[in-house]
């Protein structure tokens, strides 16, 4: 298989998601050493999970298959430019490359407009559409301090 085949599979998954009624028209495959190690398609509406985007589902599938929490040396093929949530998840997963087909503008034209989220990232926390209010830090910082001093932690 080659790059065209991997993107073709991501697009097939996007069509499957849509036609089966499982979610929006988004698909993703993750490849390592020329082999698909994870796949996913949008399952937001069928699982009642707003995080079940194609990329997140594929990341979970690939990590389970590879028995790891990072995707070093993997390439991602996704049928659409990742939304802000998926982009964040992909950065945490650390693949070596991301290929995408449709653009965020294409997605916006069919009702999947993420521009508000991109804009919100630059807004002061207290001025966001969903206000973010600091609360409980004195209790919560205890866990962070314990983590900082934990000898047997797994860094990521």
């Amino acid at each position: 298989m080659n790059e065209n085949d991997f993107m073709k599979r991501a697009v097939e998954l996007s069509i499957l998601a849509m036609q089966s009624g499982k979610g929006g028209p988004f698909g993703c495959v993750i490849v390592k050493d020329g082999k698909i190690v994870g796949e996913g398609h949008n399952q937001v509406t069928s699982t009642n999970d707003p995080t079940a985007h194609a990329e997140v589902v594929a990341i979970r599938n690939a990590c389970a298959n590879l028995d790891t929490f990072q995707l070093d040396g993997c390439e991602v093929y996704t049928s659409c430019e990742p939304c802000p949530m998926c982009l964040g998840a992909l950065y945490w997963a650390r693949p070596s490359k991301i290929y995408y087909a449709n653009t965020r503008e294409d997605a916006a034209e069919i009702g999947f407009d993420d521009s508000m989220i991109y804009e919100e990232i630059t807004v002061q926390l207290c001025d966001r559409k969903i206000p973010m209010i600091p609360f409980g830090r004195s209790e919560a910082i205890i866990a962070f301090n314990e983590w900082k001093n934990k000898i047997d932690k797994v860094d990521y």
Side-chain angles (χ1 to χ4, degrees):
M1 295 184 81
N2 62 36
E3 292 173 347
N4 290 329
D5 296 321
F6 300 136
M7 186 57 79
K8 188 176 185 179
R9 178 61 182 156
V11 172
E12 287 172 0
L13 289 166
S14 75
I15 293 168
L16 172 70
M18 176 188 52
Q19 291 179 344
S20 67
K22 292 185 176 180
F26 303 95
C28 181
V29 298
I30 298 176
V31 175
K32 184 165 188 164
D33 299 326
K35 296 179 184 167
I36 294 175
V37 295
E39 293 187 336
H41 60 75
N42 186 285
Q43 299 175 27
V44 169
T45 57
S46 60
T47 62
N48 294 319
D49 179 355
T51 69
H53 289 200
E55 295 89 343
V56 172
V57 172
I59 289 167
R60 291 173 181 162
N61 183 244
C63 287
N65 290 336
L66 295 171
D67 193 30
T68 184
F69 56 85
Q70 292 186 335
L71 298 174
D72 299 325
C74 292
E75 296 179 343
V76 176
Y77 294 81
T78 184
S79 66
C80 186
E81 181 180 353
C83 75
M85 177 186 69
C86 293
L87 185 60
L90 287 162
Y91 270 91
W92 280 115
R94 295 181 175 93
S96 61
K97 211 175 277 185
I98 302 168
Y99 297 94
Y100 67 93
N102 293 318
T103 66
R104 69 173 90 162
E105 292 81 13
D106 296 330
E109 286 183 28
I110 62 165
F112 296 93
D113 188 354
D114 299 323
S115 61
M116 183 273 292
I117 299 171
Y118 285 105
E119 291 165 9
E120 281 287 284
I121 291 169
T122 64
V123 174
Q124 292 292 319
L125 297 178
C126 61
D127 294 327
R128 290 185 177 173
K129 292 185 188 316
I130 301 174
M132 296 185 66
I133 303 155
F135 179 74
R137 183 176 180 270
S138 61
E139 292 84 10
I141 199 72
I142 294 167
F144 278 20
N145 288 333
E146 191 172 320
W147 174 260
K148 184 170 57 174
N149 297 318
K150 186 174 171 54
I151 295 169
D152 60 344
K153 66 185 169 196
V154 176
D155 288 322
Y156 58 97

